[in-house]
Amino acid sequence: MPNKASPVFAVVGHPNKGKSSIVSTLSHNDNIQISSRSGTTENADHYTVNTQQGSYDLVDTPGFQRPVKVLAWLEQHCSSANERALAVAMFVKDPECQQLFKDEVALLEPIVAGAAILYVVDGSRPYGVEYEAEMEILRWTGQPSMALINPIENSDYIEEWNNALAQYFKSVRVFNPMKAEFEKHIELLQTFTHLNPAWAQTLSEIIQDLQDKRLQQQAFSVSILSQLIDDLCQYEICQKVLTQAQAKTVQPILDRQYKEWMKQREQSAVKKLLDNYAHFQTQVSLEQFDLPPDLFDCDQWFAWGLNKKQLVVAATAAGAVSGAALDAAVAGSSFMLGSIGGGLIGAGSAWFGADKIVDIKIKGLPIGGYQACVGPIKNRNFPYVVIGRFIHLYRQISQLNHANRQNLNISTSDFQDKVESLEKSAQKELNRACERLIKQKPVDNLEAILTPLFSTK
Ligand SMILES: Nc1nc2c(ncn2[C@@H]2O[C@H](COP(=O)(O)OP(=O)(O)O)[C@@H](O)[C@H]2O)c(=O)[nH]1
Ligand SMILES: [Mg+2]
């Protein structure tokens, strides 16, 4: 049962207008059933949003089914305005009504018990008089209320709805549960504070908590990436064998195991990122998430979600290559990796040289026998690829509303813009850090260096 002092909001309306979607997004719960079939929500379900200092409840309700008949019942049982709220209370307790008007009883019960009303309509469908009976019923309850226009497909009828809703509700807002950004969730909660002055204090604390939590989630995302790069850059797999021939045989097996480990490690980081934002149902497609079949082929890295220009820009952020040289390299050559390494920067300091990407060695051991090893990764692009993929996913996951149940892909990346928008000194720091990582040297302040990449601006 909800705490007496904690605010309760009943989300009500016609079937299929996005009530469950709004509850899902505002409660950060991706386990709430959303369906194009109407009548999916059969009972009033309470979802408690717990924060550091407080909590509030959202009640997902079944849609109105027979509002005209319900209003007729209410009118029959009440002759003056001061008894209207009482008539609604009688209605939900009436055994016959409970049978005849199951949905209306379920949706009105929490309101009779003290919940504020969030009335949801679809701004992409025209307004119609058939909504008036349900709005009238809600008015009869006498509870604080607000209308939310959900532009499900478009915003075509928002104005029409605004005019109609203003007749019944003091506060009318547009809110899209699929797309609304975090700031919009907060804005909406802020307007809730006006619904019932008794809840204003609690809601303000909750808003502060949610904003703090958002920053913590960002900081945790940075640390997930920081550990991921560190692990991926360090990883090495070795096997002791007796003869050099055995070492050669074991090499491709190690190679496979190495790649598998790298893949798994990245996937576990993504899982952590999803958990961090309470997305427990979202899938990141495995195919799209595969490492390139041949990790030793630089060209394949583009499949990781960074295009050529992005790779060049990322790796030359400190200004190793001029803009003109960059354009020439990107435009002029499909074999840019090789040509930049050999031609533009000089073979000696090849950024993109098709030289060894991963160390592969077979060593004679002093106690006899041999050791075959794969790793660690040597290519200077590698940390950028890892960062680019992760940031791309971070942006999608941190912005993903819980009503939005689409799966994620990592086929494109806007990493390039992000690196370019960093201050020059930050770029240099990032560059230096990547250089050290690839040499398996520690970077003490890696999280601080990565943090600017996670800013939402
Ligand atoms: N594109 C889009 N679809 C939405 C939006 N809100 C709800 N829907 C879809 O509308 C249908 C009904 O949503 P639901 O939240 O279950 O509505 P309810 O019956 O009022 O609880 C589902 O198929 C949703 O995916 C929205 O803002 N945008
Ligand atoms: Mg529903």
Side-chain angles (χ1 to χ4, degrees):
M1 281 302 280
N3 182 324
K4 259 199 186 134
S6 92
V8 184
F9 302 92
V11 182
V12 299
H14 243 55
N16 261 318
K17 302 300 174 195
K19 298 180 297 295
S20 298
S21 304
I22 285 174
V23 172
S24 171
T25 281
L26 289 180
S27 62
H28 297 172
N29 181 336
D30 63 356
N31 219 350
I32 293 172
Q33 234 195 336
I34 292 172
S35 166
S36 53
R37 245 170 5 99
S38 67
T40 306
T41 312
E42 288 185 351
N43 302 303
D45 298 320
H46 282 251
Y47 297 94
T48 305
V49 179
N50 285 306
T51 69
Q52 198 75 24
Q53 304 178 73
S55 72
Y56 74 97
D57 268 43
L58 289 163
V59 189
D60 191 14
T61 66
F64 280 99
Q65 296 294 342
R66 302 159 77 193
V68 176
K69 291 222 163 73
V70 173
L71 187 58
W73 188 98
L74 290 172
E75 279 164 346
Q76 263 179 15
H77 290 80
C78 173
S79 50
S80 74
N82 67 323
E83 287 170 358
R84 285 180 179 172
L86 217 62
V88 181
M90 263 167 57
F91 169 82
V92 302
K93 289 210 187 73
D94 187 284
E96 204 177 322
C97 293
Q98 287 172 356
Q99 285 221 321
L100 278 174
F101 308 109
K102 192 171 168 293
D103 291 328
E104 279 80 2
V105 167
L107 81 91
L108 289 169
E109 251 172 355
I111 300 171
V112 168
I117 297 162
L118 300 180
Y119 179 66
V120 182
V121 301
D122 177 0
S124 56
R125 298 282 176 85
Y127 171 72
V129 290
E130 67 270 25
Y131 294 91
E132 284 169 19
E134 61 197 47
M135 292 193 288
E136 189 60 22
I137 294 168
L138 294 174
R139 189 153 63 182
W140 275 50
T141 66
Q143 282 301 101
S145 63
M146 173 157 82
L148 298 177
I149 306 175
N150 175 14
I152 290 191
E153 275 158 53
N154 54 58
S155 305
D156 291 357
Y157 297 95
I158 287 185
E159 205 187 322
E160 201 172 299
W161 272 109
N162 252 320
N163 294 338
L165 291 167
Q167 295 293 317
Y168 293 86
F169 301 90
K170 272 197 236 108
S171 181
V172 181
R173 292 254 149 188
V174 176
F175 186 78
N176 185 333
M178 296 287 170
K179 298 204 183 113
E181 288 159 356
F182 178 74
E183 291 70 27
K184 285 266 183 295
H185 305 184
I186 295 293
E187 264 176 49
L188 191 64
L189 286 176
Q190 256 147 5
T191 61
F192 287 6
T193 60
H194 306 304
L195 281 187
N196 181 350
W199 293 342
Q201 167 80 19
T202 315
L203 278 172
S204 298
E205 285 165 7
I206 287 169
I207 289 169
Q208 186 58 52
D209 287 348
L210 291 175
Q211 282 166 330
D212 292 348
K213 183 174 172 200
R214 183 89 177 154
L215 289 174
Q216 285 160 15
Q217 284 170 320
Q218 185 182 316
F220 190 62
S221 304
V222 175
S223 82
I224 296 170
L225 174 60
S226 169
Q227 278 172 30
L228 173 68
I229 314 181
D230 220 34
D231 285 355
L232 292 181
C233 288
Q234 304 278 348
Y235 187 63
E236 171 180 36
I237 181 167
C238 293
Q239 173 73 55
K240 289 194 180 80
V241 286
L242 286 174
T243 67
Q244 201 155 8
Q246 281 175 336
K248 287 215 169 101
T249 320
V250 106
Q251 204 78 57
I253 299 165
L254 291 181
D255 184 34
R256 260 202 315 280
Q257 286 176 349
Y258 176 85
K259 284 180 217 158
E260 189 53 33
W261 188 91
M262 300 285 270
K263 191 170 102 181
Q264 296 293 339
R265 181 63 189 82
E266 194 190 38
Q267 279 174 10
S268 83
V270 173
K271 179 77 177 72
K272 263 195 194 156
L273 188 59
L274 286 165
D275 287 358
N276 185 28
Y277 286 93
H279 285 296
F280 301 112
Q281 313 292 327
T282 305
Q283 299 290 321
V284 175
S285 139
L286 277 177
E287 269 127 31
Q288 283 157 325
F289 215 67
D290 265 351
L291 271 179
D294 185 357
L295 191 59
F296 304 97
D297 177 355
C298 291
D299 270 327
Q300 296 279 350
W301 285 10
F302 305 134
W304 275 40
L306 291 187
N307 68 32
K308 292 181 183 186
K309 185 164 182 194
Q310 286 162 347
L311 274 177
V312 182
V313 170
T316 56
V321 174
S322 77
L326 186 72
D327 289 342
V330 174
S333 159
S334 62
F335 233 88
M336 192 256 331
L337 295 181
S339 81
I340 260 219
L344 286 166
I345 323 180
S349 62
W351 272 96
F352 302 98
D355 54 351
K356 267 194 302 186
I357 293 176
V358 179
D359 249 5
I360 303 177
K361 27 183 201 289
I362 296 177
K363 280 192 305 205
L365 296 172
I367 47 158
Y370 290 85
Q371 177 159 263
C373 291
V374 174
I377 203 143
K378 284 293 176 202
N379 190 287
R380 285 148 152 155
N381 282 337
F382 182 73
Y384 286 103
V385 175
V386 177
I387 293 168
R389 285 160 68 84
F390 191 87
I391 294 283
H392 182 64
L393 271 172
Y394 162 77
R395 287 205 204 139
Q396 296 186 59
I397 291 169
S398 63
Q399 299 284 343
L400 186 67
N401 282 330
H402 289 75
N404 190 343
R405 309 289 166 84
Q406 70 176 22
N407 290 333
L408 295 179
N409 71 76
I410 48 158
S411 58
T412 56
S413 171
D414 45 2
F415 182 52
Q416 179 189 346
D417 295 343
K418 204 71 199 173
V419 174
E420 280 175 340
S421 71
L422 285 179
E423 291 296 319
K424 270 277 176 286
S425 64
Q427 289 184 17
K428 277 195 186 136
E429 273 205 90
L430 178 62
N431 232 24
R432 217 176 295 129
C434 289
E435 274 281 87
R436 288 184 67 82
L437 284 163
I438 222 63
K439 291 174 184 152
Q440 287 75 52
K441 289 184 185 158
V443 182
D444 299 334
N445 51 348
L446 186 55
E447 288 187 17
I449 294 168
L450 293 172
T451 297
L453 294 166
F454 287 75
S455 77
T456 41
K457 290 271 146 49

